[in-house]
Amino acid sequence: MPIPKTNISDGEYRAACEFLIYEARLFDQHRYLEWLELISDDIHYELVAPTVQSAADATTAPKTVPLFSENRASLQTRIEQLANPAFTVSESPPSRSRHFVTNIWVERGGQADQLAVFSNLLVYRGRGFDLPPHFFPIVRNDILNQVDGGLQLESRRAESDEHIIGSRSITLLI
Amino acid sequence: MLRTTDDFYDWDQLIDEQRAHASTSIFVDEQIYALEVERIFNRSWLFLGHATEIPNPGDFVTRRMGDDQVILIRGDDGKPRAFLNQCPHRGSLISKLDNGNCQHFVCSYHGWTFNNAGQLKTTSYDDFYQGKLDFSANGLRAVAQLDSHGELIFATWDADAVSLSDYLGDMKWYLDIYFNRTPGGMEVLAPPQRWIVNTNWKLGALNFGTDNQHLHPTHMGPTALGILGAPINEVVNALGSSYQISLDGGHGCVNTTLPHDDLPYTGLPKELIPLYEQTLSPEQATILRRNVVTVGNVFPYLAWIQVALDTERKGEAIAAGTLRLWQPIGPHQIELTCWYLAEKEAPEAHKQAVLAEGLRTFGMSGMFEEDDLDIWSSIVTAGKGSIASTSTMNFETALNFEPVDDFPGPGRAYFPMLPECEQFNLLKHWKQVMSRR
Ligand code: FES
Ligand SMILES: [Fe+2]
């Protein structure tokens, strides 16, 4: 059987890839204020962790643990902290981070001008004294709006693969 | 039987009460940690979970007590029970899940089967025992005692431990202000966040029970961003006029309260005010009414924080609270476990706001918490050094303050809240428990 048709043009696929790759570069260069210009005013941004539940018991709704539950105003606050070393102990000196984005799959979104973009993300974070560094595996379900001048992040629902997160904090964006 | 090991430590040197110093080794030493498991974690009442995590018969969660794996489950009779998560046959984990619901646990190794009251129902090979196997002695190993305060479920491995009520003592009065303040009680808003921090569990306990000198240096950043739910001058006002509370049993807390009633019940839903006032005593309700931030630590390792917050900076405070465990995994690591809770009677929008504000500030991505965790990790990184572990930590400001008698709640109240009195009292209690064979 062939894989499902996505009904997405080469140009749309390329634009989605470029969006994710560019935003990853902004994160790794700590250019958070520029990233704010790529997101919609009513963004919904969340990261959850799974809990280990029985595969046999399909009747129970999955229980997940929220790690991020953000809107534009709270992201703005977080970014003001991350962008200013005087406002953070845990990012002063800043961590090194590297966002590796792979497995990008693009489909038509709920509305005609939206793309649904699925990607895998592996984030390295290391900061001097507290060894070993953390590798954070994440899957992301994004909705991107096609607006004048390009794409804009409308929502991001991300899930960690770790149910017990192997790091003392998440002081970065995903 | 609980294991008991002799030791050769000079406890008065490790916790020097004359100088108010504590040896750094108590935060990094492997043998001291092994004794902590034996003398503290295997003998204390330990928090296992909130009743609303297991609302229905058969609901369970897996947890730890000290270095043991346990299952907390509600039986068909509605009673919560806790068992070692270990098959009595050949020792495999009975459940590898975080949560679930079941009538029976079937061990995946040879099929021994237990009901949700922990009783062995069949070995799958019953005939081979020829009637000689004592089924009643081969159930899941139950904790020695399990009891609840409100909806907070605790257990202990020590059959001789005092009752939970006596163990918590006067701490119940304060716990109730934050976790037992409406007729319906609280509910957990999600399963707990769990994450690994390279630190010693006592650094969390000391910070929440209670380190008030760190507030300004450590947390200046998020405070300056304006994400507290009360005006900053009022918070400063409250910090300057509040007491730290030290209780028998090694428990302690701070209720940072305004000296006036101009901002009543900051961040709490208006609809609930009559419920608070009908559930709490007038003295407790006054503390809640004037509270802007509170922290506390129940010995050894259950802590809370409730803060009035406004991370979106829209001028609307939300008082968000967490309960957390500094669950040790050896001397140098904890699995921080953090629950967010709100009153069952609270409007749904308030519950969601509590969860969002809570995790943005205290939790693994918390704008305040990440700074504490960074520092506590660095203390263990430094303290593991052979020279560094022989140093002492300084609590000398505790020496210059005596309890005052103008605080309306139980316990020893110190004023102002800044000196290290309660922290050092916690360490004195730790010494008392650790030096008891
Ligand atoms: S180990 Fe559980 S049945 Fe044998
Ligand atoms: Fe702190």
Side-chain angles (χ1 to χ4, degrees), chain B residues 207-208 211 214-215 218-219 305 362 368-369 371-372 376:
Chain B
N207 185 280
F208 276 60
D211 184 328
H214 89 289
L215 298 175
T218 305
H219 298 305
I305 180 162
F362 288 91
F368 285 98
E369 182 124 53
D371 290 343
D372 293 303
W376 305 345

Side-chain angles (χ1 to χ4, degrees), chain A residues 51-53 64 66-67 69 71 77-78 80-81 87 89-90 127 130 163-165 167-171, chain B residues 98-99 191 193-196 198 221 227 311-313 359-360 364-365 367 370-371 373-374 377 381:
Chain A
T51 60
V52 181
Q53 294 180 286
T64 58
L67 301 180
S69 177
N71 56 25
T77 307
R78 286 185 179 279
E80 284 178 33
Q81 186 189 29
F87 286 171
V89 170
S90 50
R127 181 163 161 274
D130 195 20
H163 70 126
I164 301 171
I165 312 295
S167 171
R168 70 187 178 286
S169 59
I170 314 175
T171 54
Chain B
D98 290 338
N99 57 67
Q193 287 190 1
R194 300 163 69 187
W195 72 105
I196 301 295
N198 294 325
I227 62 173
T311 61
E312 297 175 29
R313 298 177 293 189
L359 67 89
R360 292 169 190 167
M364 112 146 276
S365 70
M367 285 183 273
E370 62 200 25
D371 290 343
L373 300 178
D374 198 74
S377 305
T381 299

Side-chain angles (χ1 to χ4, degrees), chain A residues 117-131:
Chain A
V117 183
F118 305 87
S119 60
N120 290 357
L121 181 69
L122 185 66
V123 187
Y124 162 91
R125 178 194 176 207
R127 181 163 161 274
F129 75 90
D130 195 20
L131 295 168

